[in-house]
Amino acid sequence: MSVRVFERLKEIIRSELFDEPHQSPSLSRAKTLESVTNELKLDLGRLIAERYHVEKILRSEQPDLSDLDAKASKALELGREDLAKAALSKKVDLRAQRQSLIEDRDDLDAQIDGLERALRSLSAPDQSEAGLRRQLEELDTLLSQMGPPRRKDE
């Protein structure tokens, strides 16, 4: 999601550092930076909404796993090993789903933090060559922390 925006921002900064000057580089760069900033804000909003959704699921779906243990014990007492296995299997599945949601939430937190840092960096851009190089390094760091973009079905 934000990875392509960061890549585009890196291209803008690189062109400012290494390309020949355009007719009005600061105006062109300002419009492009405004466009990128707007995209980052939209991505940030989407990530915050997604994190809220994941957090809501985590809060609402807190099954009592001890109930499943009790059901499995009762099933064994009644000689229904198949029901006991089903209850324990469900317990394992619920734990795995919950762990996956926790990992998703942590990943979203990291992405939100990265976008917020990028937006702070862009809000007071340093036009000097050293400032541009520093922004480029920050973007490289953010991109390496984010890793490759994940698909929804993963």
Side-chain angles (χ1 to χ4, degrees):
M1 172 187 308
S2 301
V3 173
R4 70 177 169 74
V5 177
F6 285 139
E7 290 292 344
R8 212 171 89 204
L9 185 56
K10 281 176 51 178
E11 288 175 24
I12 293 166
I13 294 171
R14 278 192 186 115
S15 70
E16 190 70 23
L17 282 170
F18 305 115
D19 289 352
E20 294 296 317
H22 323 307
Q23 284 181 321
S24 57
S26 60
L27 179 62
S28 172
R29 181 173 186 263
K31 284 184 178 180
T32 308
L33 281 177
E34 182 180 351
S35 169
V36 169
T37 301
N38 289 337
E39 278 189 59
L40 288 175
K41 287 177 182 178
L42 287 172
D43 285 348
L44 180 61
R46 283 187 213 106
L47 289 173
I48 290 171
E50 189 175 341
R51 190 204 184 282
Y52 174 80
H53 178 72
V54 168
E55 190 65 37
K56 186 177 175 183
I57 292 170
L58 280 170
R59 279 194 311 266
S60 69
E61 293 184 7
Q62 294 186 16
D64 189 6
L65 298 179
S66 62
D67 280 352
L68 292 173
D69 286 334
K71 287 179 182 181
S73 295
K74 185 69 171 172
L76 285 175
E77 287 173 12
L78 297 173
R80 297 290 310 267
E81 195 173 310
D82 58 324
L83 291 178
K85 284 182 182 179
L88 295 176
S89 177
K90 184 173 182 176
K91 180 180 174 181
V92 169
D93 289 345
L94 289 173
R95 278 190 177 159
Q97 288 173 1
R98 183 163 181 76
Q99 184 59 37
S100 177
L101 286 170
I102 290 169
E103 289 170 4
D104 287 348
R105 182 193 59 198
D106 293 345
D107 184 45
L108 287 167
D109 285 341
Q111 289 182 42
I112 289 168
D113 181 55
L115 281 175
E116 288 173 340
R117 285 187 311 192
L119 285 168
R120 277 192 303 273
S121 173
L122 291 174
S123 67
D126 185 353
Q127 297 290 333
S128 70
E129 184 175 328
L132 292 172
R133 288 187 187 280
R134 191 173 37 257
Q135 285 181 341
L136 196 56
E137 288 174 12
E138 288 174 12
L139 288 170
D140 281 334
T141 302
L142 286 171
L143 283 167
S144 68
Q145 290 171 351
M146 292 177 77
R150 284 182 27 178
R151 294 179 300 165
K152 280 283 193 189
D153 59 339
E154 285 184 352

